[in-house]
Amino acid sequence: MVKKYVFGTPYKTLSVVNEKDTECIVVNDNDLNNQNTVMPNPFNKVELTCDGGDYFHESLDVMEVQKYKGFKAVITLENNSKVYGLGLQMGSINKRGRVYRSFCTDDPVHSEDKQSLYGAHNFIVINNGNGDTFGIFIDYPGPVVFDIGWTNTNELVIATENANLNIYYIKEETIQKVVHTFRTMIGKSYIPPFWAFGFMQSRWGYASKKDLIDVYENHKKHNLPLDAIFLDIDYMDGFRDFTYNKDAFDSDDGENGFSKCVKELLDKGIHVVPIIDAGIKAEKDFAVDREGVENNYYCKTIDGNDFLAAVWPGFSHFVDVTQDSSRKWFGNLCKKFLDDNNLSGFWLDMNEPAIFYSKDGVEEFGKKLVKWGAQCENPVGSDILTWKIKDAVLGVQNNLSDYKSFYHKVPKTDAGGLAQSTTQLNCNLNEKSSGLLNSENDVFVRHDKIHNLYGYLLTRAVGEAINTCSGDPAKTPLLFSRASFIGSHRYGGIWTGDNCSWWSHILLCLQQLPALNMAGYLYTGCDLGGFGDNTNRELLLRFLALGIFTPLMRNHSALGTRRQECYNFGDTDDFRAILSLRYRLLPYLYDEYLWAANNYELYFRPLAFDYNDSESQNCVDQLMLGRDIMIAPVYTPNATGRAVYLPCNMYQITCTLNNGCVTGDGENILLNKGFHWVKCLPNEIVFFIKEDHKIPICNAACSTKSLDKTIVTYWGCQ
Ligand code: MIG
């Protein structure tokens, strides 16, 4: 059962595409202005007030104060209520006890204190036990605060800056059914091609043909399977999208050495997937940028100029993703680049959008320096000034005032109550941007109000152009993005961004996976080995031992960190064993993915979604995968195994190099429901199959291209 409560005039996000069995209830302003309005049953635990403002005070403009009306809903939590969801976020599987802020953010340090990562996935499920469970989706494109029992242990507070939003309330008998209903509402998840389940190698720093061939050769030499190599920003010419560095790829005869190199690799079974950044270098001589400027494809400032801010290429322009024409333009550029160069897909980065600094931000900073300098008798050597400067420098990046300084052109019918408040402002902007609003049909919306849609709409632009929803996975390019908002799951996957080579980040990824699935993101995974910081052999092996089960299985690391390819840690046998096991499991894993995508099910689930006993309800470091298996990876250093809880009788499968990863049958013991201490050395993989279930296994191969999918054996019940 689904009820949709409409407040004000919501922005049309298109997150929800199927409202077939939805009852729509318009909540009028009088109800809202009445403090403590109690929403009709079954929302009897929700109160509404007009002061979502508690959470957003700082961000108010003087201009807006008068008409400002925030939104805040309070839901009472029982002592034993559990809250799941929020997709890409920090925190554990049960989200209670923290404040979360949906505001797509480029933050490369995922430490425990963080409230926002790259995604805005405003879907939660509350389980009060005894069959009392429901889901809530906040359909709203700006920042949303979820205070889940932090301020008050038994209160869940949801707040938005203004009261133009849809709240979907989903009531079903079980958590799984709630999630299933939600997933049918938001439409089918992206299905990648089979090869995108192969092992993929990436690193910020691969810059030339030589670097790519080197990765390929090393994998070949050590008999390590490989399906794809990723190109980070280093392949570009000066970080310009849709270019490549000619010096690094072209031969002397002036041929397109980039496309040739990609083709050579493709012939060997290796797909090449380049990064595309959101910011387009602002430069008169750059034809792409000229086209963007001439056709008003970019976001505008209040003066009617194209908004400028610095990212990797230096000062850059930002595609106005709310315009059909802009999206088509950007999408087609991707499509052409893909076709011209034999590429197999894209990964989209920096599309929160990330901003290093804006012109205004730098100017502001300069003014502060002058002011502080004048206030200080001896600026040189002033410790206080030094500290002030440090904070001011850090504050320049991803600054809210920058997000408030540019505008999107949006069809009036979509913008709802988020349109710029005064007609005068629209007129000004329109005049200054040479009549960009060419009809009565469009309005401007300030970026911060729809900030969370940026990555989504850019993913949509690319997905529509390269046809990632074709329904024919074999012909589908690979696409995944960093920033996201529910809806983009239909066009591509996401990766979890800049994790670190930290042990805690294996567990973090495990805990994010089911929440990501709930939000529709099935094709997902983390940077294996860890992106930032320096990994070691054991940590990489343990990361990979989780990674062999995630649909996206990619080793990626940051520039300047220790080399992290599997062949850089001495004896490669252990790595070969793990990667080989992935390939042996591929027919099973891909099938379970198709099952989850086509039936709106979860590929990864907390045990609590499947089993009602209290051990399962409280388990936060194991996951059910598909219909038959459970994983319980090791995430602590120097461990020889771990405690595992079996929610039912299960086969323990132990694979080592000699008994199952590469050729054999794995050790297969039936264990009883309950707690067990399970041995699992860094060079072993352990997972579990439900009693009475079995999974198909094929032979290993060096890539999906050469994989013979014939089933050679079954593991589990015989
Ligand atoms: O400012 O392109 O998350 O995967 O290697 C950093 C360089 C930009 C962030 C991505 C990361 C990528 C990196 N990018």
Side-chain angles (χ1 to χ4, degrees):
M1 188 268 296
V2 185
K3 292 195 181 194
K4 172 186 181 182
Y5 295 92
V6 183
F7 300 92
T9 329
Y11 189 99
K12 286 207 179 74
T13 64
L14 298 184
S15 278
V16 173
V17 288
N18 172 6
E19 293 195 343
K20 205 163 46 104
D21 298 315
T22 303
E23 181 190 345
C24 186
I25 298 144
V26 176
V27 183
N28 66 43
D29 257 26
N30 293 338
D31 295 340
L32 250 187
N33 289 331
N34 244 327
Q35 291 270 325
N36 300 328
T37 298
V38 177
M39 279 173 67
N41 186 40
F43 250 70
N44 54 9
K45 288 174 189 155
V46 180
E47 300 164 23
L48 298 173
T49 72
C50 311
D51 64 348
D54 301 2
Y55 288 96
F56 293 103
H57 231 61
E58 273 175 321
S59 60
L60 283 186
D61 272 352
V62 181
M63 199 184 83
E64 280 183 318
V65 167
Q66 284 191 337
K67 65 159 199 86
Y68 178 78
K69 189 172 66 187
F71 173 90
K72 194 164 120 185
V74 182
I75 301 175
T76 304
L77 298 173
E78 322 267 340
N79 286 336
N80 63 349
S81 308
K82 293 194 167 63
V83 182
Y84 301 99
L86 290 183
L88 186 61
Q89 261 296 2
M90 298 300 298
S92 186
I93 285 182
N94 177 356
K95 308 312 271 190
R96 267 184 97 152
R98 294 178 56 110
V99 177
Y100 306 85
R101 224 167 261 267
S102 290
F103 193 71
C104 299
T105 304
D106 167 27
D107 187 332
V109 184
H110 305 172
S111 50
E112 277 197 30
D113 55 326
K114 296 300 161 64
Q115 295 186 334
S116 307
L117 296 174
Y118 316 88
H121 307 143
N122 304 324
F123 174 57
I124 53 174
V125 174
I126 296 156
N127 183 26
N128 295 322
N130 300 323
D132 179 13
T133 183
F134 58 95
I136 288 187
F137 175 52
I138 308 295
D139 183 19
Y140 177 80
V144 184
V145 170
F146 292 85
D147 178 341
I148 310 187
W150 185 78
T151 303
N152 295 312
T153 313
N154 285 341
E155 266 180 16
L156 190 170
V157 183
I158 299 168
T160 62
E161 243 172 341
N162 64 67
N164 296 293
L165 71 161
N166 297 310
I167 296 191
Y168 292 85
Y169 169 85
I170 305 161
K171 178 85 189 106
E172 305 284 356
E173 282 149 33
T174 63
I175 304 176
Q176 292 212 29
K177 282 188 183 152
V178 171
V179 178
H180 172 82
T181 299
F182 178 64
R183 291 272 305 284
T184 60
M185 289 160 56
I186 59 172
K188 211 178 241 187
S189 302
Y190 165 70
I191 299 179
F194 183 70
W195 65 262
F197 266 64
F199 176 69
M200 318 201 276
Q201 181 59 47
S202 180
R203 179 169 170 89
W204 180 3
Y206 296 159
S208 62
K209 176 171 181 182
K210 188 181 158 299
D211 289 342
L212 298 187
I213 298 296
D214 195 51
V215 173
Y216 167 73
E217 295 286 349
N218 268 301
H219 272 258
K220 204 172 143 198
K221 179 166 135 205
H222 296 287
N223 221 337
L224 295 166
L226 182 69
D227 261 87
I229 305 178
F230 281 68
L231 286 169
D232 207 314
I233 47 176
D234 322 85
Y235 78 89
M236 296 181 196
D237 172 18
F239 304 130
R240 291 171 190 84
D241 278 341
F242 316 116
T243 68
Y244 66 92
N245 178 356
K246 295 201 154 72
D247 293 340
F249 287 96
D250 282 356
S251 46
D252 293 338
D253 55 19
E255 252 189 296
N256 180 341
F258 184 58
S259 108
K260 214 170 126 193
C261 160
V262 176
K263 177 80 172 37
E264 263 173 54
L265 283 162
L266 195 59
D267 290 342
K268 296 180 159 97
I270 307 296
H271 297 265
V272 177
V273 181
I275 199 169
I276 296 286
D277 274 6
I280 295 179
K281 188 176 178 77
E283 184 180 51
K284 284 210 179 63
D285 293 339
F286 181 27
V288 169
D289 182 56
R290 225 171 28 236
E291 215 174 285
V293 170
E294 278 164 12
N295 294 289
N296 282 318
Y297 289 145
Y298 294 135
C299 295
K300 300 280 181 187
T301 65
I302 193 96
D303 309 318
N305 297 320
D306 292 325
F307 173 68
L308 268 182
V311 259
W312 287 106
F315 276 110
S316 302
H317 287 136
F318 296 82
V319 181
D320 188 5
V321 290
T322 54
Q323 296 184 41
D324 286 343
S325 54
S326 303
R327 279 201 312 275
K328 278 207 182 97
W329 172 66
F330 188 78
N332 285 337
L333 286 166
C334 288
K335 166 84 175 133
K336 182 164 184 337
F337 193 61
L338 184 107
D339 290 344
D340 287 353
N341 296 296
N342 308 301
L343 299 163
S344 296
F346 296 108
W347 54 308
L348 307 179
D349 192 18
M350 307 296 276
N351 53 357
E352 293 71 29
I355 290 178
F356 291 168
Y357 53 87
S358 68
K359 263 207 153 102
D360 287 354
V362 173
E363 264 170 38
E364 270 309 301
F365 173 70
K367 280 186 204 155
K368 274 187 199 157
L369 279 189
V370 172
K371 191 176 110 197
W372 292 337
Q375 285 168 351
C376 199
E377 264 178 37
N378 179 17
V380 180
S382 158
D383 52 344
I384 297 177
L385 190 57
T386 306
W387 281 102
K388 275 187 173 171
I389 293 173
K390 186 201 89 189
D391 288 343
V393 169
L394 293 176
V396 167
Q397 201 162 348
N398 301 322
N399 190 305
L400 188 58
S401 55
D402 286 332
Y403 292 131
K404 288 180 168 190
S405 72
F406 62 99
Y407 296 82
H408 295 271
K409 175 179 149 181
V410 178
K412 232 180 220 165
T413 47
D414 289 0
L418 298 189
Q420 271 321 115
S421 52
T422 59
T423 355
Q424 191 51 43
L425 184 68
N426 273 312
C427 288
N428 279 347
L429 239 168
N430 195 28
E431 205 171 285
K432 287 179 178 149
S433 55
S434 45
L436 179 56
L437 302 188
N438 41 22
S439 69
E440 276 294 283
N441 301 333
D442 300 309
V443 287
F444 285 106
V445 175
R446 205 177 65 190
H447 173 79
D448 59 304
K449 298 181 183 184
I450 53 168
H451 173 75
N452 288 339
L453 300 182
Y454 199 89
Y456 160 27
L457 292 176
L458 208 68
T459 308
R460 175 178 161 195
V462 181
E464 284 180 340
I466 65 175
N467 208 6
T468 52
C469 312
S470 67
D472 180 0
K475 295 200 186 110
T476 300
L478 176 57
L479 180 63
F480 60 87
S481 163
R482 194 171 70 176
S484 60
F485 183 86
I486 292 177
S488 74
H489 68 287
R490 300 188 293 263
Y491 304 98
I494 54 177
W495 92 104
T496 61
D498 299 347
N499 65 352
C500 280
S501 300
W502 297 346
W503 285 91
S504 62
H505 278 185
I506 297 178
L507 182 60
L508 176 64
C509 175
L510 177 139
Q511 294 176 332
Q512 288 169 332
L513 288 166
L516 289 166
N517 282 193
M518 288 167 72
Y521 299 95
L522 297 182
Y523 189 75
T524 185
C526 70
D527 287 351
L528 299 173
F531 174 76
D533 219 332
N534 300 305
T535 200
N536 67 23
R537 187 175 201 277
E538 184 198 0
L539 181 58
L540 177 57
L541 284 169
R542 294 297 197 191
F543 255 111
L544 290 168
L546 169 61
I548 57 170
F549 297 106
T550 58
L552 165 60
M553 187 191 186
R554 186 180 75 145
N555 176 342
H556 178 54
S557 54
L559 191 69
T561 59
R562 180 179 185 180
R563 293 300 296 226
Q564 196 166 286
E565 297 84 359
C566 296
Y567 44 83
N568 285 313
F569 299 89
D571 190 350
T572 48
D573 281 357
D574 295 340
F575 293 95
R576 185 160 56 87
I578 292 197
L579 301 192
S580 299
L581 178 58
R582 165 71 167 203
Y583 283 76
R584 300 200 70 191
L585 289 168
L586 274 185
Y588 175 72
L589 296 178
Y590 194 69
D591 253 18
E592 291 310 285
Y593 187 97
L594 292 178
W595 163 79
N598 289 326
N599 300 294
Y600 307 98
E601 295 289 348
L602 297 171
Y603 177 93
F604 284 121
R605 296 176 306 283
L607 271 53
F609 286 18
D610 288 19
Y611 299 95
N612 264 326
D613 57 285
S614 75
E615 288 82 0
S616 297
Q617 286 295 313
N618 292 302
C619 177
V620 293
D621 61 356
Q622 305 174 195
L623 295 176
M624 305 306 298
L625 187 169
R627 288 161 289 187
D628 311 285
I629 74 180
M630 182 182 81
I631 62 169
V634 173
Y635 54 89
T636 51
N638 305 311
T640 54
R642 57 164 284 179
V644 177
Y645 176 71
L646 304 188
C648 64
N649 296 348
M650 286 183 169
Y651 291 97
Q652 176 192 331
I653 309 290
T654 301
C655 299
T656 64
L657 180 61
N658 300 323
N659 84 353
C661 291
V662 181
T663 53
D665 256 344
E667 198 186 343
N668 194 345
I669 338 164
L670 185 61
L671 297 178
N672 288 329
K673 170 177 156 68
F675 281 103
H676 296 267
W677 195 87
V678 173
K679 175 174 158 284
C680 179
L681 298 173
N683 62 356
E684 294 175 329
I685 304 280
V686 174
F687 68 98
F688 304 86
I689 302 177
K690 291 194 245 178
E691 189 180 21
D692 303 329
H693 290 236
K694 60 181 178 185
I695 64 165
I697 301 294
C698 68
N699 281 329
C702 64
S703 72
T704 55
K705 195 180 179 189
S706 56
L707 187 76
D708 178 352
K709 293 186 207 159
T710 310
I711 304 307
V712 295
T713 180
Y714 285 87
W715 291 352
C717 106
Q718 297 302 319

